[in-house]
Amino acid sequence: MKVTNIPFMAMRKIVAVFSLTLILISLVSLATKGLQFGLDFTGGTLIEVAYEEAPQLDDVRTLLGENGYSDVVVQNFGSPTDVVVRMANSYTATLGDEVLATLQNQGETAVSLQRSEFVGAQVGEELREQGGLGMLLALAIVMIYVAVRFQFKFSVASVAALVHDVIITLGFFSIFEVEFDLTVLAALLAVVGYSLNDTIVVCDRIRENFRIMRDTTPYDLVNESINQTLGRTLITSLTTLFVLVVLFVAGGEAIHNFSMALLVGIVIGTYSSIFVAANLLLAMNVTREDLIPAPKEELEDDLP
């Protein structure tokens, strides 16, 4: 494969400003708007019904409100005739049948109950806490692995790039108020693994080039390493994105947010693998000496 000669590191200051801007916007949105947690995290009731003909969602909300069901979320689920009603922290054994009777509007509307599920608030809180701890644990393990496999500066750069990807992906969900549920959390963890894989490939090439290209400055060496791995990075990302686009368009409502999180995360992860980690390595003044193992102290011979 022909190696490109794109001056990626010449754009490092512009890229740094761009990344910091995205992170700042994401953090502001997360602090002010937060995430739209799904029932997996908040607790509450989910009722799915099927209409014979596609209803107007505003009419469904109005009908439920007139019958005392406040603070409900009404959405289509997979098709225009399938509707999901979400109620926060509300549940009785007959709630599904009661909502169905309301939606049937005294037999005037043909609608059937598909499922009625409840997630307790305590369970939702535990899922939220365990999910956050799982994310932090994954980043800590990554940092230790890269520090042992490469060097501490590579470890800091790799983890910073992963944190960059996670924050911006979370910011996307906050800004556009997309529901954040367990499938999205699973997608975030997958993004961490995917982005790490790309970053490790670039770091490994940088390390190998430090051993081979002895008369090259770190700036030129890092730029050359990115160009050498660019083809592999783009091919891997594009083939993955093709599959995710199909899942996003035709995969159905159940994995819609999952595929959306992966799409956003992989685009950002590919960008960070090319720019962010390498940019941070140069900012920390990585040199060939950083990769030379410390000499072992020779044991003195005590024999006469």
Side-chain angles (χ1 to χ4, degrees):
M1 181 179 294
K2 184 179 180 180
V3 177
T4 59
N5 189 27
I6 303 172
F8 289 108
M9 291 299 97
M11 300 179 277
R12 65 189 188 282
K13 293 182 179 179
I14 297 174
V15 167
V17 172
F18 178 67
S19 290
L20 289 173
T21 301
L22 288 180
I23 289 174
L24 180 61
I25 293 172
S26 298
L27 290 176
V28 169
S29 180
L30 288 168
T32 55
K33 298 172 63 176
L35 292 168
Q36 304 297 315
F37 287 110
L39 294 181
D40 296 336
F41 297 111
T42 61
T45 303
L46 181 147
I47 299 170
E48 181 185 353
V49 295
Y51 283 79
E52 190 172 287
E53 297 181 0
Q56 294 293 324
L57 297 184
D58 287 339
D59 294 341
V60 176
R61 295 187 189 98
T62 300
L63 182 60
L64 290 172
E66 290 174 349
N67 285 270
Y69 298 104
S70 59
D71 298 326
V72 298
V73 177
V74 179
Q75 298 173 318
N76 285 118
F77 187 83
S79 70
T81 57
D82 291 328
V83 174
V84 164
V85 179
R86 304 174 190 268
M87 300 180 178
N89 300 320
S90 302
Y91 185 74
T92 62
T94 59
L95 181 60
D97 293 328
E98 292 170 4
V99 171
L100 176 64
T102 300
L103 296 177
Q104 286 175 335
N105 197 17
Q106 298 179 349
E108 296 180 5
T109 306
V111 56
S112 59
L113 179 66
Q114 302 298 304
R115 57 173 169 151
S116 178
E117 300 174 354
F118 176 74
V119 177
Q122 183 64 32
V123 174
E125 184 177 349
E126 289 178 0
L127 286 172
R128 188 163 61 247
E129 291 177 356
Q130 294 300 320
L133 289 175
M135 182 71 67
L136 293 175
L137 180 61
L139 292 176
I141 292 174
V142 166
M143 191 167 190
I144 294 171
Y145 166 75
V146 179
V148 173
R149 183 71 175 81
F150 294 91
Q151 193 264 349
F152 182 71
K153 290 181 181 179
F154 285 82
S155 175
V156 173
S158 298
V159 172
L162 294 180
V163 172
H164 165 278
D165 301 342
V166 171
I167 289 176
I168 293 177
T169 304
L170 288 174
F172 174 89
F173 275 76
S174 175
I175 292 168
F176 294 100
E177 299 182 354
V178 181
E179 184 179 283
F180 188 93
D181 55 21
L182 280 178
T183 64
V184 177
L185 178 60
L188 274 179
L189 291 171
V191 166
V192 168
Y194 184 93
S195 181
L196 175 65
N197 180 61
D198 268 354
T199 303
I200 290 297
V201 169
V202 176
C203 288
D204 188 58
R205 184 56 58 91
I206 291 173
R207 182 183 62 173
E208 291 302 316
N209 283 341
F210 265 124
R211 296 172 179 172
I212 299 170
M213 304 166 65
R214 297 183 178 275
D215 297 326
T216 307
T217 63
Y219 174 93
D220 291 330
L221 186 145
V222 168
N223 203 72
E224 180 67 18
S225 300
I226 295 174
N227 277 281
Q228 289 175 358
T229 57
L230 182 63
R232 180 262 179 207
T233 298
L234 292 181
I235 289 174
T236 303
S237 298
L238 287 174
T239 52
T240 307
L241 287 173
F242 290 153
V243 175
L244 289 175
V245 168
V246 173
L247 287 176
F248 180 78
V249 174
E253 190 70 23
I255 61 171
H256 185 268
N257 291 350
F258 172 81
S259 54
M260 182 189 300
L262 282 176
L263 279 170
V264 175
I266 286 176
V267 170
I268 295 297
T270 302
Y271 158 81
S272 70
S273 298
I274 295 172
F275 289 105
V276 177
N279 202 350
L280 289 171
L281 283 174
L282 288 181
M284 291 186 290
N285 297 316
V286 65
T287 62
R288 182 175 291 102
E289 287 70 24
D290 291 325
L291 297 170
I292 298 176
K296 297 180 180 180
E297 296 183 2
E298 294 184 1
L299 297 176
E300 295 184 0
D301 191 355
D302 295 330
L303 294 176

